[in-house]
Coordinates of all heavy atoms in Angstrom, one line a residue:
M1 N 6.4 2.5 -44.8 CA 5.9 3.0 -43.4 C 6.2 2.0 -42.4 O 6.7 2.4 -41.4 CB 4.6 3.3 -43.6 CG 3.9 4.2 -42.5 SD 4.8 5.8 -42.4 CE 4.2 6.5 -41.1
K2 N 5.9 0.7 -42.5 CA 6.1 -0.3 -41.6 C 7.5 -0.4 -41.1 O 7.8 -0.5 -39.9 CB 5.8 -1.7 -42.1 CG 4.2 -1.8 -42.4 CD 3.6 -2.7 -41.3 CE 2.1 -3.0 -41.8 NZ 1.2 -2.6 -40.8
A3 N 8.5 -0.2 -42.0 CA 9.9 -0.3 -41.6 C 10.3 0.8 -40.8 O 10.9 0.6 -39.8 CB 10.7 -0.3 -42.9
L4 N 9.8 2.1 -41.0 CA 10.1 3.1 -40.2 C 9.5 3.1 -38.8 O 10.1 3.6 -37.8 CB 9.5 4.5 -41.0 CG 10.3 5.0 -42.1 CD1 9.7 6.2 -42.6 CD2 11.8 5.3 -41.8
D5 N 8.3 2.4 -38.7 CA 7.8 2.2 -37.3 C 8.7 1.4 -36.5 O 8.8 1.6 -35.4 CB 6.4 1.4 -37.5 CG 5.3 2.4 -38.1 OD1 5.5 3.7 -38.1 OD2 4.4 1.8 -38.5
R6 N 9.3 0.4 -37.2 CA 10.1 -0.5 -36.3 C 11.5 0.1 -36.1 O 12.2 -0.2 -35.1 CB 10.2 -1.8 -37.1 CG 9.0 -2.6 -37.1 CD 9.1 -4.0 -37.8 NE 7.9 -4.6 -37.8 CZ 7.3 -5.4 -36.8 NH1 8.0 -5.6 -35.6 NH2 6.1 -5.9 -36.9
V7 N 12.0 0.8 -37.2 CA 13.4 1.4 -37.1 C 13.4 2.7 -37.6 O 13.6 3.0 -38.7 CB 14.3 0.5 -38.0 CG1 15.9 1.0 -37.9 CG2 14.2 -1.1 -37.9
P8 N 13.0 3.6 -36.6 CA 12.9 5.1 -37.2 C 14.1 5.7 -37.7 O 14.2 6.5 -38.5 CB 12.5 5.6 -35.7 CG 12.0 4.7 -34.9 CD 12.7 3.4 -35.2
K9 N 15.4 5.2 -37.3 CA 16.5 5.7 -37.8 C 16.6 5.5 -39.4 O 17.4 6.3 -39.9 CB 17.8 4.9 -37.2 CG 18.3 5.4 -36.0 CD 19.3 6.4 -36.1 CE 19.9 6.8 -34.8 NZ 20.5 8.3 -35.1
L10 N 15.8 4.7 -39.9 CA 15.9 4.4 -41.3 C 15.6 5.8 -42.1 O 16.0 6.0 -43.2 CB 15.0 3.4 -41.7 CG 15.4 1.9 -41.6 CD1 14.3 1.0 -42.0 CD2 16.7 1.6 -42.4
E11 N 14.7 6.7 -41.5 CA 14.2 7.9 -42.0 C 15.5 8.7 -42.6 O 15.5 9.5 -43.6 CB 13.4 8.7 -41.3 CG 12.7 9.7 -42.0 CD 11.5 10.3 -41.4 OE1 11.3 10.0 -40.1 OE2 10.7 11.1 -41.9
T12 N 16.6 8.7 -41.8 CA 17.7 9.5 -42.1 C 19.0 8.6 -42.6 O 20.1 9.2 -42.8 CB 18.3 10.2 -40.8 OG1 18.4 9.4 -39.8 CG2 17.1 11.4 -40.6
A13 N 18.6 7.4 -42.7 CA 19.8 6.4 -43.2 C 20.2 6.8 -44.7 O 19.5 7.2 -45.4 CB 19.3 5.0 -43.1
E14 N 21.7 6.6 -44.8 CA 22.2 6.9 -46.2 C 22.7 5.6 -46.7 O 23.0 4.6 -46.1 CB 23.3 7.9 -46.1 CG 22.6 9.3 -45.8 CD 23.8 10.3 -45.6 OE1 24.9 10.0 -46.1 OE2 23.5 11.4 -45.2
M15 N 22.8 5.5 -48.1 CA 23.3 4.4 -48.7 C 24.9 4.2 -48.3 O 25.5 5.3 -48.5 CB 23.2 4.5 -50.2 CG 23.7 3.3 -50.9 SD 22.4 2.0 -51.1 CE 21.3 3.0 -52.3
A16 N 25.2 3.2 -47.7 CA 26.7 3.1 -47.4 C 27.4 2.5 -48.6 O 28.6 2.9 -48.7 CB 26.9 2.0 -46.2
K17 N 26.9 1.5 -49.3 CA 27.6 1.0 -50.3 C 26.6 0.3 -51.4 O 25.5 0.0 -50.9 CB 28.4 -0.2 -49.7 CG 29.7 -0.8 -50.5 CD 30.3 -1.9 -49.6 CE 31.4 -2.6 -50.5 NZ 31.9 -3.6 -49.9
S18 N 26.9 0.2 -52.6 CA 26.0 -0.3 -53.5 C 26.9 -1.1 -54.7 O 28.0 -0.8 -54.9 CB 25.1 0.7 -54.1 OG 25.8 1.5 -54.9
W19 N 26.2 -1.9 -55.4 CA 26.8 -2.4 -56.5 C 25.9 -2.7 -57.7 O 24.5 -2.7 -57.3 CB 27.5 -3.7 -56.2 CG 26.8 -4.7 -55.6 CD1 26.4 -4.9 -54.3 CD2 26.1 -5.9 -56.3 NE1 25.7 -6.0 -54.1 CE2 25.3 -6.5 -55.3 CE3 26.0 -6.2 -57.5 CZ2 24.6 -7.7 -55.7 CZ3 25.1 -7.2 -57.9 CH2 24.4 -8.0 -56.9
A20 N 26.3 -2.8 -58.8 CA 25.3 -3.2 -59.8 C 25.8 -4.5 -60.6 O 26.9 -4.8 -60.7 CB 25.3 -2.1 -60.9
G21 N 24.8 -5.4 -61.0 CA 25.2 -6.4 -61.8 C 24.4 -6.5 -63.1 O 23.2 -5.9 -63.3
L22 N 25.1 -7.0 -64.2 CA 24.5 -7.1 -65.6 C 23.6 -8.3 -65.6 O 24.0 -9.4 -65.2 CB 25.6 -7.2 -66.4 CG 25.1 -7.3 -67.9 CD1 24.5 -6.0 -68.4 CD2 26.3 -7.7 -68.8
Y23 N 22.2 -8.0 -65.8 CA 21.3 -9.1 -65.9 C 21.2 -9.4 -67.4 O 20.2 -8.8 -68.2 CB 20.1 -8.6 -65.3 CG 19.1 -9.7 -64.9 CD1 18.9 -10.0 -63.5 CD2 18.5 -10.6 -65.7 CE1 18.0 -10.9 -63.0 CE2 17.5 -11.6 -65.3 CZ 17.3 -11.8 -64.0 OH 16.4 -12.8 -63.5
E24 N 22.1 -10.2 -68.0 CA 22.0 -10.4 -69.4 C 21.0 -11.3 -69.7 O 20.7 -12.4 -69.1 CB 23.5 -10.9 -69.9 CG 23.8 -12.2 -69.9 CD 23.9 -13.0 -68.3 OE1 23.2 -12.4 -67.4 OE2 24.7 -13.9 -68.4
T25 N 20.3 -11.2 -70.9 CA 19.1 -11.9 -71.2 C 19.1 -12.2 -72.7 O 19.4 -11.4 -73.6 CB 17.9 -11.0 -71.0 OG1 17.9 -10.6 -69.7 CG2 16.6 -11.9 -71.1
T26 N 18.9 -13.6 -73.0 CA 18.9 -14.0 -74.4 C 17.3 -13.9 -74.9 O 16.4 -13.8 -74.0 CB 19.4 -15.4 -74.6 OG1 18.6 -16.3 -73.7 CG2 20.8 -15.5 -74.1
P27 N 17.0 -14.0 -76.1 CA 15.7 -13.9 -76.5 C 14.8 -14.9 -76.0 O 13.5 -14.8 -75.8 CB 15.7 -14.0 -78.0 CG 17.2 -13.5 -78.4 CD 17.9 -14.0 -77.3
D28 N 15.3 -16.1 -75.6 CA 14.4 -17.2 -75.0 C 14.7 -17.5 -73.5 O 14.3 -18.4 -72.9 CB 14.6 -18.5 -75.8 CG 15.9 -19.1 -75.8 OD1 16.9 -18.6 -75.2 OD2 16.1 -20.1 -76.6
H29 N 15.5 -16.5 -72.9 CA 15.9 -16.6 -71.4 C 16.6 -17.9 -71.1 O 16.4 -18.3 -70.0 CB 14.6 -16.4 -70.6 CG 13.8 -15.2 -70.9 ND1 14.2 -14.0 -70.6 CD2 12.7 -15.1 -71.8 CE1 13.3 -13.1 -71.1 NE2 12.3 -13.7 -71.8
H30 N 17.3 -18.4 -72.2 CA 18.2 -19.6 -71.7 C 19.6 -19.3 -72.1 O 19.8 -18.4 -73.0 CB 17.7 -20.8 -72.6 CG 16.5 -21.5 -71.9 ND1 16.4 -22.1 -70.7 CD2 15.1 -21.4 -72.4 CE1 15.2 -22.5 -70.5 NE2 14.4 -22.1 -71.4
A31 N 20.6 -20.1 -71.5 CA 22.0 -19.7 -71.7 C 22.3 -20.2 -73.2 O 21.6 -20.9 -73.9 CB 22.7 -20.5 -70.7
V32 N 23.5 -19.6 -73.5 CA 24.1 -20.1 -74.7 C 25.3 -21.0 -74.3 O 26.3 -20.3 -73.6 CB 24.7 -18.9 -75.6 CG1 25.5 -19.5 -76.8 CG2 23.5 -18.1 -76.1
I33 N 25.3 -22.2 -74.6 CA 26.5 -23.1 -74.3 C 26.8 -23.9 -75.6 O 26.0 -24.6 -76.0 CB 26.2 -24.1 -73.1 CG1 25.7 -23.3 -71.9 CG2 27.4 -25.0 -72.8 CD1 25.3 -24.2 -70.6
G34 N 28.1 -23.7 -75.9 CA 28.6 -24.5 -77.0 C 29.6 -23.8 -77.8 O 29.8 -22.6 -77.7
F35 N 30.2 -24.5 -78.8 CA 31.2 -24.0 -79.8 C 30.5 -22.9 -80.7 O 29.5 -23.1 -81.1 CB 31.9 -25.0 -80.6 CG 32.9 -25.8 -79.7 CD1 32.7 -27.0 -79.3 CD2 34.2 -25.1 -79.5 CE1 33.7 -27.7 -78.5 CE2 35.1 -25.9 -78.7 CZ 35.0 -27.1 -78.2
A36 N 31.3 -21.8 -80.9 CA 30.8 -20.8 -81.9 C 30.9 -21.4 -83.3 O 31.9 -22.1 -83.6 CB 31.6 -19.6 -81.8
D37 N 29.9 -21.1 -84.2 CA 29.9 -21.5 -85.5 C 31.0 -20.6 -86.3 O 30.8 -19.4 -86.2 CB 28.6 -21.2 -86.1 CG 28.1 -22.6 -86.7 OD1 28.6 -23.7 -86.4 OD2 27.1 -22.4 -87.5
G38 N 32.0 -21.3 -87.0 CA 32.8 -20.5 -87.8 C 34.0 -19.8 -87.2 O 34.7 -19.1 -87.8
V39 N 34.1 -20.0 -85.8 CA 35.3 -19.4 -85.1 C 35.9 -20.5 -84.3 O 35.4 -20.8 -83.1 CB 34.9 -18.1 -84.2 CG1 36.0 -17.6 -83.6 CG2 34.1 -17.1 -85.0
E40 N 36.9 -21.0 -84.8 CA 37.5 -22.3 -84.2 C 38.0 -21.8 -82.8 O 38.8 -20.9 -82.6 CB 38.8 -22.8 -85.1 CG 39.2 -24.1 -84.7 CD 40.4 -24.6 -85.6 OE1 40.6 -23.9 -86.6 OE2 41.1 -25.4 -85.0
G41 N 37.7 -22.8 -81.9 CA 38.2 -22.6 -80.5 C 37.4 -21.7 -79.6 O 37.7 -21.7 -78.4
L42 N 36.3 -21.0 -80.2 CA 35.6 -20.1 -79.3 C 34.3 -20.9 -78.8 O 33.7 -21.5 -79.6 CB 35.1 -19.0 -80.1 CG 34.2 -18.0 -79.4 CD1 34.9 -17.3 -78.1 CD2 33.7 -16.8 -80.3
F43 N 34.4 -20.9 -77.4 CA 33.3 -21.7 -76.7 C 32.5 -20.8 -76.0 O 33.0 -20.0 -75.1 CB 33.9 -22.8 -75.8 CG 32.9 -23.8 -75.4 CD1 32.6 -24.9 -76.1 CD2 32.2 -23.6 -74.3 CE1 31.7 -25.8 -75.7 CE2 31.3 -24.6 -73.7 CZ 31.0 -25.7 -74.6
F44 N 31.2 -20.7 -76.1 CA 30.2 -19.8 -75.4 C 29.7 -20.5 -74.2 O 29.2 -21.6 -74.1 CB 28.9 -19.5 -76.2 CG 29.2 -18.7 -77.4 CD1 28.8 -19.0 -78.8 CD2 29.9 -17.4 -77.3 CE1 29.0 -18.4 -79.8 CE2 30.0 -16.7 -78.4 CZ 29.7 -17.0 -79.7
V45 N 29.8 -19.8 -72.9 CA 28.9 -20.2 -71.7 C 28.5 -18.9 -71.2 O 29.1 -18.4 -70.3 CB 30.0 -20.9 -70.7 CG1 29.0 -21.4 -69.6 CG2 30.8 -22.0 -71.4
N46 N 27.5 -18.4 -71.7 CA 27.0 -17.1 -71.3 C 25.4 -16.9 -71.6 O 24.8 -17.9 -71.9 CB 27.7 -16.0 -72.1 CG 27.4 -16.1 -73.6 OD1 27.6 -17.1 -74.2 ND2 27.1 -15.0 -74.1
G47 N 25.0 -15.7 -71.2 CA 23.5 -15.4 -71.5 C 22.6 -16.1 -70.6 O 21.5 -16.6 -71.0
F48 N 22.9 -16.4 -69.3 CA 22.3 -17.3 -68.4 C 20.9 -16.5 -68.1 O 20.0 -17.3 -67.3 CB 23.1 -17.6 -67.1 CG 24.0 -18.7 -67.4 CD1 25.3 -18.3 -67.9 CD2 23.7 -19.9 -67.4 CE1 26.3 -19.2 -68.1 CE2 24.6 -20.9 -67.8 CZ 25.9 -20.6 -68.1
S49 N 20.7 -15.4 -68.4 CA 19.2 -14.7 -68.2 C 18.7 -14.9 -66.7 O 17.5 -15.3 -66.5 CB 18.2 -15.3 -69.2 OG 18.8 -15.3 -70.6
G50 N 19.6 -14.6 -65.8 CA 19.1 -14.6 -64.4 C 19.1 -16.0 -63.7 O 18.6 -16.2 -62.6
H51 N 19.8 -17.1 -64.4 CA 19.7 -18.3 -63.8 C 21.2 -18.8 -63.6 O 21.5 -20.0 -63.3 CB 19.2 -19.5 -64.5 CG 17.8 -19.1 -65.5 ND1 16.9 -18.6 -64.7 CD2 17.6 -19.2 -66.7 CE1 15.9 -18.4 -65.8 NE2 16.3 -18.7 -67.0
G52 N 22.1 -18.0 -63.8 CA 23.4 -18.4 -63.9 C 24.1 -19.0 -62.7 O 25.0 -19.8 -62.7
L53 N 23.7 -18.5 -61.5 CA 24.3 -19.1 -60.3 C 23.8 -20.4 -60.1 O 24.6 -21.3 -59.8 CB 23.9 -18.2 -59.1 CG 24.3 -16.8 -59.0 CD1 24.0 -16.1 -57.7 CD2 26.0 -16.9 -59.1
M54 N 22.6 -20.8 -60.4 CA 21.9 -22.0 -60.2 C 22.6 -22.9 -61.2 O 22.7 -24.2 -60.9 CB 20.3 -22.0 -60.5 CG 19.7 -21.3 -59.2 SD 18.0 -21.2 -59.5 CE 17.8 -19.9 -60.6
H55 N 22.7 -22.5 -62.3 CA 23.2 -23.4 -63.4 C 24.6 -23.6 -63.5 O 25.2 -24.4 -64.4 CB 22.7 -22.9 -64.9 CG 21.3 -23.0 -65.0 ND1 20.5 -22.7 -66.2 CD2 20.3 -23.3 -64.2 CE1 19.3 -22.8 -66.2 NE2 19.0 -23.2 -64.9
A56 N 25.4 -22.9 -62.7 CA 26.9 -22.8 -62.8 C 27.6 -24.1 -62.7 O 28.4 -24.5 -63.6 CB 27.5 -21.7 -61.9
P57 N 27.3 -25.0 -61.7 CA 27.9 -26.4 -61.6 C 27.7 -27.2 -62.9 O 28.7 -27.7 -63.3 CB 27.4 -27.0 -60.4 CG 26.8 -25.8 -59.5 CD 26.4 -24.8 -60.5
A58 N 26.5 -27.2 -63.3 CA 26.1 -28.0 -64.5 C 26.8 -27.5 -65.7 O 27.4 -28.2 -66.7 CB 24.7 -28.2 -64.7
A59 N 26.7 -26.1 -65.9 CA 27.3 -25.5 -67.0 C 28.8 -25.7 -67.1 O 29.4 -25.9 -68.2 CB 27.0 -23.9 -67.0
G60 N 29.6 -25.6 -65.9 CA 30.9 -25.8 -65.9 C 31.3 -27.2 -66.4 O 32.2 -27.4 -67.0
L61 N 30.5 -28.1 -65.7 CA 30.7 -29.6 -66.2 C 30.6 -29.8 -67.6 O 31.5 -30.3 -68.2 CB 29.7 -30.4 -65.3 CG 29.9 -31.9 -65.6 CD1 31.3 -32.5 -65.2 CD2 28.8 -32.8 -65.0
V62 N 29.6 -29.4 -68.2 CA 29.3 -29.8 -69.6 C 30.2 -28.9 -70.5 O 30.7 -29.5 -71.6 CB 27.8 -29.5 -70.1 CG1 26.9 -30.5 -69.4 CG2 27.4 -28.1 -69.9
A63 N 30.6 -27.6 -70.0 CA 31.6 -26.9 -70.9 C 33.0 -27.6 -70.9 O 33.5 -27.8 -71.9 CB 31.7 -25.4 -70.3
A64 N 33.3 -28.2 -69.7 CA 34.7 -28.9 -69.5 C 34.6 -30.1 -70.5 O 35.6 -30.3 -71.2 CB 35.0 -29.1 -68.1
E65 N 33.5 -30.8 -70.3 CA 33.4 -32.0 -71.2 C 33.6 -31.7 -72.7 O 34.1 -32.4 -73.4 CB 32.1 -32.7 -70.7 CG 32.0 -33.3 -69.4 CD 30.6 -33.8 -68.9 OE1 29.6 -33.3 -69.6 OE2 30.5 -34.6 -68.1
A66 N 32.7 -30.6 -73.1 CA 32.7 -30.4 -74.5 C 34.0 -29.9 -75.1 O 34.5 -30.3 -76.1 CB 31.7 -29.4 -74.8
I67 N 34.7 -29.1 -74.3 CA 36.0 -28.4 -74.7 C 37.0 -29.6 -74.7 O 38.0 -29.6 -75.6 CB 36.4 -27.4 -73.6 CG1 35.5 -26.1 -73.9 CG2 37.9 -26.9 -73.9 CD1 35.5 -25.1 -72.9
C68 N 36.9 -30.7 -73.8 CA 37.8 -31.8 -73.9 C 37.5 -32.8 -74.8 O 38.1 -33.8 -75.0 CB 37.9 -32.4 -72.5 SG 38.8 -31.2 -71.3
G69 N 36.4 -32.6 -75.7 CA 36.0 -33.5 -76.7 C 35.3 -34.7 -76.2 O 35.2 -35.7 -77.0
R70 N 34.8 -34.6 -75.0 CA 33.9 -35.7 -74.4 C 32.4 -35.5 -74.8 O 32.0 -34.5 -75.0 CB 34.2 -35.9 -73.0 CG 35.6 -36.1 -72.7 CD 35.8 -36.8 -71.2 NE 37.3 -36.8 -71.0 CZ 37.8 -36.3 -70.0 NH1 37.0 -35.7 -69.0 NH2 39.2 -36.3 -69.7
K71 N 31.8 -36.7 -74.6 CA 30.3 -36.6 -74.6 C 29.8 -35.8 -73.4 O 30.2 -36.1 -72.4 CB 29.8 -38.0 -74.7 CG 28.3 -38.1 -74.8 CD 27.8 -39.7 -75.1 CE 26.4 -39.9 -75.1 NZ 25.4 -39.0 -74.6
T72 N 28.9 -34.9 -73.5 CA 28.5 -34.1 -72.4 C 27.4 -35.0 -71.6 O 26.7 -35.7 -72.1 CB 27.9 -32.8 -72.9 OG1 26.8 -33.0 -73.7 CG2 28.9 -31.9 -73.4
S73 N 27.4 -34.6 -70.3 CA 26.7 -35.4 -69.4 C 25.1 -35.1 -69.7 O 24.2 -36.1 -69.4 CB 26.7 -34.9 -68.0 OG 28.1 -35.2 -67.5
V74 N 24.7 -34.1 -70.1 CA 23.4 -33.7 -70.8 C 23.4 -33.0 -72.2 O 24.6 -32.4 -72.4 CB 22.5 -32.8 -69.9 CG1 22.4 -33.4 -68.6 CG2 23.3 -31.4 -69.6
D75 N 22.5 -33.2 -73.0 CA 22.5 -32.7 -74.3 C 22.5 -31.2 -74.3 O 21.6 -30.6 -73.8 CB 21.4 -33.3 -75.0 CG 21.2 -32.9 -76.5 OD1 22.3 -32.3 -77.0 OD2 20.2 -32.9 -77.2
I76 N 23.5 -30.5 -74.8 CA 23.4 -29.1 -74.9 C 23.3 -28.5 -76.3 O 23.3 -27.4 -76.5 CB 24.9 -28.6 -74.3 CG1 26.0 -29.1 -75.0 CG2 25.1 -28.8 -72.8 CD1 27.5 -28.6 -74.8
S77 N 22.9 -29.3 -77.2 CA 22.7 -29.0 -78.4 C 21.6 -27.9 -78.6 O 21.7 -27.0 -79.4 CB 22.5 -30.0 -79.5 OG 21.3 -30.8 -79.0
L78 N 20.6 -28.1 -77.8 CA 19.5 -27.0 -77.8 C 20.0 -25.6 -77.4 O 19.3 -24.6 -77.7 CB 18.3 -27.4 -76.8 CG 17.5 -28.7 -77.1 CD1 16.6 -28.9 -76.0 CD2 16.7 -28.3 -78.5
L79 N 21.0 -25.6 -76.8 CA 21.7 -24.2 -76.2 C 22.5 -23.7 -77.1 O 23.2 -22.6 -76.8 CB 22.2 -24.5 -74.8 CG 21.2 -24.9 -73.7 CD1 22.0 -25.3 -72.4 CD2 20.2 -24.0 -73.5
S80 N 22.7 -24.2 -78.3 CA 23.6 -23.6 -79.4 C 23.3 -22.1 -79.7 O 22.1 -21.8 -79.7 CB 23.6 -24.4 -80.6 OG 24.1 -23.8 -81.7
A81 N 24.3 -21.4 -79.9 CA 24.1 -19.8 -80.3 C 23.4 -19.8 -81.6 O 22.6 -18.9 -81.8 CB 25.5 -19.2 -80.5
T82 N 23.5 -20.8 -82.5 CA 22.8 -20.8 -83.8 C 21.3 -20.9 -83.7 O 20.6 -20.7 -84.7 CB 23.4 -21.9 -84.6 OG1 23.0 -23.2 -84.1 CG2 24.8 -21.8 -85.0
R83 N 20.7 -21.3 -82.4 CA 19.3 -21.5 -82.4 C 18.6 -20.2 -82.7 O 17.4 -20.2 -83.3 CB 18.9 -22.0 -81.0 CG 18.9 -21.1 -79.9 CD 18.7 -21.7 -78.6 NE 18.6 -20.8 -77.4 CZ 19.6 -20.6 -76.6 NH1 20.8 -21.1 -76.8 NH2 19.3 -19.8 -75.6
F84 N 19.1 -19.0 -82.4 CA 18.4 -17.8 -82.7 C 18.3 -17.5 -84.1 O 17.2 -17.2 -84.6 CB 19.2 -16.6 -82.0 CG 19.5 -16.8 -80.6 CD1 20.7 -17.0 -80.1 CD2 18.4 -16.9 -79.7 CE1 21.0 -17.3 -78.8 CE2 18.6 -17.2 -78.3 CZ 19.9 -17.4 -77.8
A85 N 19.3 -17.7 -85.0 CA 19.2 -17.6 -86.4 C 18.3 -18.6 -87.0 O 17.6 -18.2 -88.0 CB 20.6 -17.7 -87.0
R86 N 18.2 -19.9 -86.4 CA 17.3 -20.8 -86.9 C 16.0 -20.7 -86.5 O 15.1 -21.5 -86.8 CB 18.0 -22.3 -86.6 CG 19.3 -22.7 -87.3 CD 19.7 -24.0 -86.9 NE 20.3 -24.0 -85.7 CZ 19.9 -24.9 -84.7 NH1 18.8 -25.8 -84.8 NH2 20.5 -24.8 -83.6
G87 N 15.6 -19.8 -85.5 CA 14.3 -19.7 -85.1 C 14.0 -20.8 -84.2 O 12.8 -21.2 -84.0
R88 N 14.9 -21.6 -83.6 CA 14.7 -22.7 -82.8 C 14.8 -22.3 -81.2 O 15.7 -22.9 -80.5 CB 15.5 -23.8 -83.1 CG 15.4 -24.4 -84.6 CD 14.1 -25.0 -84.7 NE 13.9 -26.2 -83.9 CZ 14.4 -27.4 -84.3 NH1 15.0 -27.6 -85.4 NH2 14.1 -28.4 -83.5
L89 N 14.0 -21.4 -80.8 CA 14.2 -21.0 -79.4 C 13.8 -22.1 -78.4 O 12.8 -22.8 -78.7 CB 13.5 -19.7 -79.2 CG 13.8 -18.5 -80.1 CD1 13.2 -17.2 -79.6 CD2 15.4 -18.4 -80.2
V90 N 14.3 -22.0 -77.2 CA 13.9 -23.0 -76.2 C 12.8 -22.4 -75.3 O 13.0 -21.3 -74.8 CB 15.1 -23.4 -75.3 CG1 14.7 -24.4 -74.2 CG2 16.3 -23.8 -76.2
E91 N 11.7 -23.1 -75.3 CA 10.5 -22.5 -74.5 C 10.9 -22.3 -73.0 O 11.4 -23.3 -72.3 CB 9.4 -23.3 -74.7 CG 8.2 -22.7 -74.2 CD 6.9 -23.7 -74.1 OE1 7.1 -24.8 -74.7 OE2 5.9 -23.3 -73.5
E92 N 10.6 -21.2 -72.5 CA 10.8 -20.9 -71.0 C 9.6 -21.4 -70.3 O 8.6 -20.9 -70.5 CB 11.1 -19.6 -70.8 CG 11.2 -19.1 -69.3 CD 12.5 -19.5 -68.6 OE1 13.4 -18.7 -68.8 OE2 12.5 -20.5 -67.9
T93 N 9.7 -22.5 -69.4 CA 8.5 -23.0 -68.8 C 8.5 -22.5 -67.3 O 7.5 -22.7 -66.7 CB 8.5 -24.5 -69.0 OG1 9.7 -25.0 -68.4 CG2 8.2 -25.0 -70.4
N94 N 9.5 -22.1 -66.8 CA 9.6 -21.8 -65.4 C 10.4 -20.4 -65.1 O 11.6 -20.5 -64.8 CB 10.2 -23.0 -64.7 CG 10.1 -22.8 -63.2 OD1 9.3 -21.9 -62.7 ND2 10.9 -23.5 -62.4
V95 N 9.7 -19.4 -65.1 CA 10.3 -18.1 -65.1 C 10.2 -17.8 -63.6 O 9.3 -17.9 -62.9 CB 9.5 -17.0 -65.9 CG1 10.1 -15.6 -65.6 CG2 9.4 -17.3 -67.3
I96 N 11.5 -17.3 -63.1 CA 11.5 -16.9 -61.6 C 12.0 -15.4 -61.7 O 12.6 -15.0 -62.6 CB 12.5 -17.8 -60.8 CG1 13.8 -17.8 -61.4 CG2 11.8 -19.1 -60.7 CD1 14.9 -18.3 -60.3
Ligands
FAD101 C1 20.4 -8.7 -59.8 C2 20.7 -10.0 -60.2 C3 20.2 -11.1 -59.5 C4 20.5 -12.4 -59.8 N1 19.9 -13.4 -59.2 C5 20.1 -14.7 -59.6 C6 19.5 -15.8 -58.8 O1 18.8 -15.7 -57.8 N2 19.9 -17.1 -59.2 C7 20.7 -17.2 -60.1 O2 21.0 -18.4 -60.5 N3 21.3 -16.3 -60.9 C8 20.9 -15.0 -60.6 N4 21.6 -14.0 -61.3 C9 22.2 -14.2 -62.4 C10 23.7 -14.7 -62.2 O3 24.3 -13.7 -61.4 C11 24.4 -14.7 -63.6 O4 23.7 -15.4 -64.5 C12 25.8 -15.2 -63.3 O5 26.6 -14.3 -62.4 C13 26.5 -15.2 -64.8 O6 27.7 -15.8 -64.5 P1 28.9 -15.4 -65.7 O7 30.2 -16.1 -65.2 O8 28.3 -16.0 -66.9 O9 29.0 -13.9 -65.9 P2 29.6 -12.8 -64.8 O10 29.2 -13.3 -63.4 O11 28.8 -11.5 -65.2 O12 31.1 -12.8 -64.9 C14 31.6 -12.1 -66.0 C15 32.9 -11.6 -65.5 O13 33.7 -11.1 -66.7 C16 34.2 -9.9 -66.4 N5 34.5 -9.3 -67.7 C17 33.6 -8.7 -68.6 N6 34.3 -8.1 -69.6 C18 35.5 -8.5 -69.4 C19 36.7 -8.1 -70.2 N7 36.7 -7.5 -71.4 N8 37.9 -8.5 -69.7 C20 38.0 -9.3 -68.6 N9 36.9 -9.5 -67.8 C21 35.7 -9.1 -68.2 C22 33.2 -9.2 -65.5 O14 33.8 -8.3 -64.7 C23 32.8 -10.4 -64.6 O15 33.6 -10.6 -63.5 C24 21.3 -12.7 -60.9 C25 21.9 -11.5 -61.6 C26 21.6 -10.3 -61.3 C27 22.2 -9.1 -61.9

């Protein structure tokens, strides 16, 4: 109601354009980053559960480091895809 008071034209406004985005979510709301178990050369960087834009620079850095066989700047072992099967989920402490 407040918006219509300020911009009465909104009452007859139509949608000009729209888009949809996939909000992909893992069981613990954290990304999967690391080599796939049992599939040589497959590296996961996905499942960001709504944090992907914020995590992109760091995710790109550690992915590049791991793929090039270097020690990663931060420990990514907790983000392994195998954590789900092992029941070792990462606790989400800051949901936005
Ligand atoms: C509504 C909404 C709000 C969000 N808000 C925030 C926010 O405030 N802050 C934040 O940090 N993150 C936010 N996110 C999350 C963030 O957008 C994602 O985590 C991030 O975009 C994931 O990046 P990505 O590269 O992993 O995947 P994507 O950005 O999804 O990129 C995957 C790409 O692969 C393409 N693709 C898929 N299948 C194929 C195929 N078979 N062949 C070729 N290409 C393919 C897709 O077209 C797409 O371009 C939001 C997401 C949504 C949906």
Side-chain angles (χ1 to χ4, degrees):
M1 194 62 188
K2 294 248 188 242
L4 286 181
D5 290 344
R6 290 183 185 275
V7 189
K9 274 269 186 202
L10 281 178
E11 192 164 14
T12 54
E14 289 179 15
M15 187 91 71
K17 197 175 171 186
S18 66
W19 58 273
L22 179 67
Y23 203 112
E24 89 288 28
T25 307
T26 62
D28 59 7
H29 309 284
H30 286 289
V32 176
I33 304 180
F35 283 103
D37 235 18
V39 185
E40 198 184 332
L42 178 61
F43 194 89
F44 294 122
V45 189
N46 64 305
F48 284 92
S49 308
H51 324 301
L53 295 179
M54 290 179 282
H55 291 186
L61 176 66
V62 293
E65 290 169 339
I67 290 166
C68 291
R70 303 206 184 120
K71 184 176 180 332
T72 52
S73 297
V74 293
D75 181 15
I76 56 170
S77 61
L78 286 176
L79 299 174
S80 157
T82 60
R83 73 181 186 270
F84 306 115
R86 289 184 284 119
R88 301 289 302 271
L89 304 194
V90 181
E91 187 191 350
E92 172 77 80
T93 55
N94 187 15
V95 180
I96 58 165

